[in-house]
Amino acid sequence: MKKILRSLRFALKGFRHAYVSDKSFRMEVVYGLPIYVILGWFLFPLQSWEIVLYVFSYLFILVVELINTAFEKMLDRLHPEQHESIGRSKDMIAASVLLTFLVVIVVVLVLISVR
């Protein structure tokens, strides 16, 4: 139990650090969450599978953005100067965030279409 609580503390610390230090992550929480809640209100009522899909799609954005932030910070620390292959790596991880947004758009469009 002690290990689980310690892991939870580290996870919350990481979440807080991402929120404070990464503008993209903060925007996805500050602006994205209210938009998602409002959109969910308009889609109400949702079936249980729709709720799961809807919530998962938002959390998926946050997870990928956390990975993106960690990856970029790690690369900046390991190789602070500009380098072509580091830049490409950052572009690829940024592309994963874009693809995640596309998944969210598809989920929302599907949920709208079944209404």
Side-chain angles (χ1 to χ4, degrees), residues 35-53:
I35 290 169
Y36 237 62
V37 169
I38 290 167
L39 189 57
W41 179 266
F42 286 112
L43 292 171
F44 188 81
L46 294 171
Q47 294 180 12
S48 57
W49 70 270
E50 293 171 323
I51 293 169
V52 169
L53 189 61

Side-chain angles (χ1 to χ4, degrees), residues 27 33 53 66 69 85 91 95 97 105:
M27 285 175 44
L33 183 58
L53 189 61
L66 283 170
T69 301
S85 47
D91 291 345
V97 176
I105 289 168

Side-chain angles (χ1 to χ4, degrees), residues 1-16:
M1 187 66 173
K2 199 175 195 181
K3 184 178 184 329
I4 293 171
L5 290 175
R6 188 175 62 183
S7 296
L8 178 62
R9 192 178 82 240
F10 289 142
L12 292 174
K13 186 178 174 182
F15 189 85
R16 184 177 61 238

Side-chain angles (χ1 to χ4, degrees), residues 22-38:
D22 186 61
K23 185 178 181 181
S24 296
F25 184 78
R26 191 171 45 254
M27 285 175 44
E28 288 164 6
V29 173
V30 171
Y31 300 118
L33 183 58
I35 290 169
Y36 237 62
V37 169
I38 290 167

